[in-house]
Amino acid sequence: MPQSLSDEEIQEFIKSIDYNNDGYVAYKEVERKLDDVANEIDPVPKKHNLHHHERKASDRHNFLRSVLGTDEDRIPNDDFATKVRQWNVPSLQQEHQKAKEASDFLKHLSWSRKLRSWWSVEGPQVCFIGLVVAMQLAFGLWQLVKYLTTSPYTAGWGWGVVVAKTSAGVLYPTMFFLVLSMSRWFATFARHFYHLSQFINWDRSQSFHIKISLVAMAFATLHVIGHLTGSFVFGSTASRQDVVTSVLGQEMSYSDYVASRPGWTGITALACFYLIGLFSMPPVRRGSYEVFQLAHLMMFPMIAMLIVHGTRGIFQWPMLGYFLAFPTLLVLVERVRRVLLGFKKIPARLVVLDEETVEITMSIPKTHWFPYEAGQYILLQVPQVSFFQWHPFTISIVSDGEAQVHIKADGDWTKRLRDFGKEGKDLTHVGIDGPFGAPAQRFYDFDYTIVVGAGIGVTPFSGILSHMQHAQDDQWRNIRRASRASSRRSSVSGLQRPQPGSRAHSTAEESNDAEKPEAHDPLRHRRCDFHWIVKSKNNLLWFSDLLNEISISHFTTVQHSPIFRAHSFEQRQLQDYKTKRNPNLDIRITTHVTEKRKKIATHIYRHLLEAHRTPSHPKSPLTGLINPTEFGRPDLAGILHNHYEDMLRLATERKQAAGESLDEDLDEKKRRVGVFFCGPPVIGEELAARCEELTLRGRADDSGLEYRFMIEVFG
């Protein structure tokens, strides 16, 4: 149970409201404190805020009366204290208690469980980085040993050739992964294979690309230094020309080395590399994204120089070209295709949603290849803003041949796009490349899922939920239409589950997720608990419309979906067909704001505003969301415990309803819960440990419930 406000906190709260210290809390004082809190947490009012100019005065009045708890103008402090206790607002100290409990939980785990929890979160990424480093070491050591122990090389070119070739060995796998990390096609391909996507996590490719670029630049510089200050100097001295001639077939001066094919191509490639790095600096990117993108086109002549660099085969056969061939060809084809797609006009329209967010709806022609999967993103070009710039945005929803994205004005290009819309200009067309990526490939393997994500990077999962909602609703309506048509042709009053081959069955399977025919089966009970952790409530506004649409879809049917029927629906369930929404889909969204508030009044008012809902305004006056929002670190123990109890109840109801006809294989699947996590490792480790704990509990009580923890990156 949450720890409620202490007596000291209640008295401190009352003292902060009772401005005139007369022993009473007056209506005007409650209103004044509301204004103080509003100016603190929402200095720029949003439409859902009570202090926004478009909100009715009665809305504000009703909230103030609910706080005061009386129709009188004032209430004694003692009576108000009793009222405050009834609110059950969590104590301000509870957040510290939550952190301590989580820390104690992990602290008291055995070392084996700690290691398994850590490995569940960090293991795949550590393995991949380990593979990259191992390949760098292997090729580097191979070249080091070869040139250090072979006498003609050191005798003719000294220490320089050892340093240069050792660096070159490290560069072979480094340049391979550097170029490959730029391929969105490869990232999308990898996401289709769960274990591969965990091992090669290209969703973090931008960070990886930057880091490995720095490594490549360092060793490329070391390679050039080894030659220019070492091997070229030693190899041009008169005393070493006999050895040089025996290896190269001719005497070489310093200028001959520099002017040779390996010499000038290497220096030119390094110069291009430094220019790309210079124009990739954050100030340049922020000042002119076009310069950043155009500078990156130098990578193609740079790669061409690197491939030519080793074709002379002075010391050994050219290896770098083989490492660069596949990723370069892949990236080159991608870029050429993207340039061509920039000339293909996709009809689009733009709507300014608020001061910070715009919505672009694109009409995808039937001739345009668009193999969309829920949660993917596209690269978007708006020629009326910039012809050269392409930016990634998560697809919010695809329906009826239209794709929609929501864009927050957070940078130079996005602000120009927002201003373009606010000026009343008409968006005629856009260019799109993609879709790319496919988060949570294993999401549809489970009928019961829990998603715990932190930060704005998890927002693509809202697209997955929205897509699932629309897909199941569409199929549900198709089945209803087919059922009505069937009932007119038959005197049978009951509704049978569509059989394979029937019109209803075939219609129900018409979906973008054809690779998983059961993924959107509208007759199966599915539940998803989505817990989104953000630091500030303002982060929730980015996708508030999408989250609210999902929440409305849930609450317009029933509070909790009916349990799954293994073979057919009973007559009493026919009433569910009267709604447009599928009652077998249960999506529960809870958002968590971790931003701390030190003032007790702000803390309490924040909870009161979040809980305040009216029939005319179902959205929170604080967050603008229909779904509930909790404050502080999420109580993972409580979340998972409640879910476990619900699963036990559903399992019991399912067995009672199905009796002997219960499908054992299906029932086994219903006992598996997929737990997907994206966020800070410390939360992931706790979540992984608690999932293991619940799985052990399922074995102990013979329920067979199994919580499978999986790392996902929705970004």
Side-chain angles (χ1 to χ4, degrees):
M1 288 292 292
Q3 178 186 347
S4 298
L5 293 169
S6 65
D7 291 340
E8 291 78 10
E9 289 174 323
I10 293 175
Q11 292 304 317
E12 181 184 352
F13 173 59
I14 295 175
K15 184 178 180 180
S16 70
I17 292 182
D18 187 8
Y19 289 95
N20 56 14
N21 295 318
D22 63 352
Y24 288 86
V25 174
Y27 178 93
K28 289 296 184 181
E29 291 175 324
V30 174
E31 184 177 30
R32 179 180 173 182
K33 180 56 68 175
L34 173 63
D35 292 336
D36 292 343
V37 171
N39 290 330
E40 177 185 348
I41 61 180
D42 282 303
V44 180
K46 311 290 191 304
K47 286 185 177 181
H48 57 267
N49 295 140
L50 291 177
H51 58 297
H52 191 271
H53 66 88
E54 293 185 8
R55 290 296 293 265
K56 296 178 181 179
S58 59
D59 296 334
R60 178 183 174 91
H61 174 74
N62 291 335
F63 172 75
L64 293 172
R65 281 298 176 194
S66 69
V67 174
L68 195 60
T70 178
D71 292 333
E72 302 294 331
D73 288 338
R74 63 179 189 170
I75 181 174
N77 286 355
D78 291 342
D79 294 345
F80 188 66
T82 302
K83 176 69 176 177
V84 173
R85 291 187 183 91
Q86 295 172 355
W87 292 340
N88 291 323
V89 174
S91 169
L92 193 57
Q93 303 302 319
Q94 182 173 319
E95 175 60 22
H96 302 292
Q97 183 64 27
K98 286 182 181 178
K100 185 177 183 303
E101 289 175 356
S103 176
D104 290 343
F105 173 77
L106 292 173
K107 188 182 300 183
H108 291 94
L109 289 177
S110 64
W111 281 106
S112 60
R113 288 190 61 187
K114 285 181 181 177
L115 180 60
R116 289 197 298 271
S117 299
W118 177 85
W119 186 257
S120 297
V121 177
E122 301 287 359
Q125 183 177 250
V126 169
C127 284
F128 174 65
I129 298 299
L131 173 65
V132 174
V133 173
M135 292 181 66
Q136 291 172 325
L137 289 174
F139 281 95
L141 288 173
W142 167 51
Q143 294 286 277
L144 173 65
V145 172
K146 175 181 178 180
Y147 287 92
L148 194 60
T149 58
T150 305
S151 57
Y153 299 128
T154 52
W157 292 273
W159 62 265
V161 71
V162 178
V163 172
K165 298 306 290 183
T166 300
S167 300
V170 175
L171 283 171
Y172 295 151
T174 303
M175 293 302 298
F176 171 81
F177 286 110
L178 168 62
V179 179
L180 190 62
S181 66
M182 301 170 66
S183 172
R184 298 182 186 272
W185 283 357
F186 182 80
T188 303
F189 171 79
R191 295 295 291 160
H192 283 81
F193 303 92
Y194 174 72
H195 295 292
L196 182 61
S197 67
Q198 295 293 289
F199 183 66
I200 307 178
N201 196 342
W202 286 133
D203 294 295
R204 294 191 178 101
S205 58
Q206 183 178 5
S207 173
F208 175 77
H209 178 77
I210 294 172
K211 293 173 183 176
I212 203 165
S213 295
L214 294 175
V215 173
M217 189 175 293
F219 280 98
T221 303
L222 197 59
H223 175 78
V224 172
I225 289 175
H227 279 313
L228 292 180
T229 64
S231 60
F232 288 4
V233 174
F234 287 108
S236 58
T237 58
S239 61
R240 299 175 184 255
Q241 291 304 308
D242 291 340
V243 179
V244 171
T245 303
S246 65
V247 176
L248 302 183
Q250 66 180 67
E251 294 186 356
M252 297 285 288
S253 65
Y254 191 93
S255 58
D256 290 335
Y257 284 114
V258 175
S260 65
R261 189 193 309 164
W264 71 266
T265 55
I267 295 172
T268 305
L270 184 63
C272 289
F273 205 170
Y274 270 99
L275 285 174
I276 294 173
L278 177 65
F279 290 118
S280 299
M281 300 292 287
V284 178
R285 271 204 322 270
R286 288 192 296 265
S288 177
Y289 196 79
E290 282 92 346
V291 172
F292 165 73
Q293 286 200 318
L294 291 174
H296 262 66
L297 294 178
M298 285 191 291
M299 69 177 177
F300 293 111
M302 182 192 81
I303 293 173
M305 294 294 176
L306 291 176
I307 293 175
V308 173
H309 179 69
T311 55
R312 177 80 183 275
I314 295 179
F315 296 123
Q316 64 184 36
W317 57 279
M319 293 184 62
L320 187 57
Y322 292 95
F323 278 90
L324 290 175
F326 169 71
T328 302
L329 180 62
L330 195 61
V331 173
L332 180 62
V333 173
E334 284 185 41
R335 296 302 173 93
V336 171
R337 181 177 182 270
R338 189 172 305 156
V339 171
L340 297 177
L341 287 173
F343 295 98
K344 186 173 183 179
K345 298 179 179 179
I346 304 296
R349 59 185 183 273
L350 182 146
V351 177
V352 179
L353 299 180
D354 54 41
E355 291 295 322
E356 299 296 328
T357 311
V358 299
E359 174 187 277
I360 293 181
T361 303
M362 298 152 284
S363 299
I364 309 297
K366 293 183 178 179
T367 56
H368 187 88
W369 187 65
F370 197 75
Y372 170 71
E373 293 180 27
Q376 291 186 309
Y377 68 93
I378 58 171
L379 289 176
L380 180 69
Q381 173 215 43
V382 182
Q384 291 166 271
V385 176
S386 173
F387 182 81
F388 294 102
Q389 293 195 36
W390 295 76
H391 293 273
F393 297 103
T394 299
I395 304 169
S396 301
I397 190 64
V398 172
S399 180
D400 299 326
E402 290 188 336
Q404 194 176 86
V405 296
H406 292 79
I407 302 171
K408 184 181 185 300
D410 192 40
D412 177 64
W413 184 88
T414 53
K415 288 179 180 177
R416 285 160 57 190
L417 178 65
R418 177 203 58 191
D419 295 340
F420 175 87
K422 292 177 71 174
E423 291 169 2
K425 298 179 181 178
D426 291 329
L427 180 65
T428 58
H429 65 277
V430 298
I432 59 174
D433 187 12
F436 301 105
Q441 288 292 320
R442 297 200 65 190
F443 175 74
Y444 292 112
D445 291 344
F446 300 90
D447 287 339
Y448 298 99
T449 52
I450 300 174
V451 178
V452 180
I456 203 64
V458 79
T459 50
F461 197 83
S462 61
I464 294 177
L465 295 180
S466 181
H467 174 76
M468 183 171 67
Q469 180 76 62
H470 280 266
Q472 290 223 349
D473 288 346
D474 290 344
Q475 294 177 21
W476 184 259
R477 287 191 289 270
N478 290 335
I479 289 179
R480 290 178 60 220
R481 285 194 294 267
S483 174
R484 287 195 296 267
S486 176
S487 64
R488 287 193 293 267
R489 296 190 301 265
S490 173
S491 60
V492 180
S493 60
L495 174 63
Q496 297 295 324
R497 183 180 177 88
Q499 298 298 317
S502 69
R503 183 178 182 274
H505 183 273
S506 59
T507 306
E509 290 192 354
E510 292 176 359
S511 167
N512 288 329
D513 295 280
E515 77 282 355
K516 288 184 179 294
E518 76 282 2
H520 297 305
D521 186 347
L523 301 180
R524 292 174 60 175
H525 179 225
R526 296 177 61 91
R527 170 176 165 178
C528 176
D529 292 59
F530 180 35
H531 295 270
W532 187 10
I533 309 167
V534 295
K535 182 177 181 180
S536 170
K537 64 181 181 60
N538 292 329
N539 296 138
L540 302 173
L541 297 176
W542 289 21
F543 284 85
S544 58
D545 291 338
L546 194 59
L547 293 178
N548 284 336
E549 181 184 355
I550 298 170
S551 297
I552 290 173
S553 298
H554 173 57
F555 286 112
T556 51
T557 53
V558 286
Q559 182 63 27
H560 298 295
S561 301
I563 63 171
F564 174 77
R565 299 295 190 260
H567 298 288
S568 64
F569 286 112
E570 299 177 3
Q571 182 65 30
R572 64 183 176 83
Q573 292 178 281
L574 290 177
Q575 59 182 346
D576 294 332
Y577 282 86
K578 297 178 182 178
T579 180
K580 294 181 179 180
R581 302 297 184 181
N582 184 354
N584 292 306
L585 181 60
D586 186 2
I587 299 177
R588 307 184 185 190
I589 301 174
T590 304
T591 44
H592 304 264
V593 177
T594 60
E595 186 177 20
K596 296 180 180 179
R597 296 291 178 179
K598 296 182 179 180
K599 297 179 181 178
I600 187 64
T602 305
H603 171 73
I604 293 177
Y605 266 88
R606 188 167 65 162
H607 279 83
L608 295 178
L609 287 167
E610 162 55 28
H612 185 68
R613 304 286 203 281
T614 64
S616 58
H617 290 282
K619 299 178 182 177
S620 164
L622 185 71
T623 65
L625 297 176
I626 295 175
N627 64 264
T629 296
E630 298 179 357
F631 300 98
R633 182 188 178 114
D635 180 13
L636 297 180
I639 290 170
L640 291 175
H641 172 77
N642 292 336
H643 190 278
Y644 188 91
E645 294 298 325
D646 286 347
M647 290 296 294
L648 286 178
R649 178 180 55 80
L650 285 171
T652 302
E653 293 179 1
R654 186 167 59 248
K655 290 180 180 179
Q656 291 175 350
E660 295 182 358
S661 62
L662 180 65
D663 188 324
E664 293 296 336
D665 292 336
L666 183 58
D667 185 59
E668 181 180 352
K669 183 174 183 178
K670 291 291 181 181
R671 292 195 296 265
R672 297 201 304 266
V673 179
V675 181
F676 299 87
F677 172 73
C678 168
V682 63
I683 298 179
E685 291 174 26
E686 181 189 354
L687 189 60
R690 294 195 182 278
C691 286
E692 182 181 4
E693 191 175 68
L694 287 183
T695 299
L696 295 174
R697 177 181 169 185
R699 295 173 185 172
D701 61 17
D702 293 329
S703 65
L705 291 175
E706 183 180 353
Y707 284 72
R708 298 188 179 182
F709 176 82
M710 284 160 283
I711 284 287
E712 285 289 352
V713 178
F714 309 113

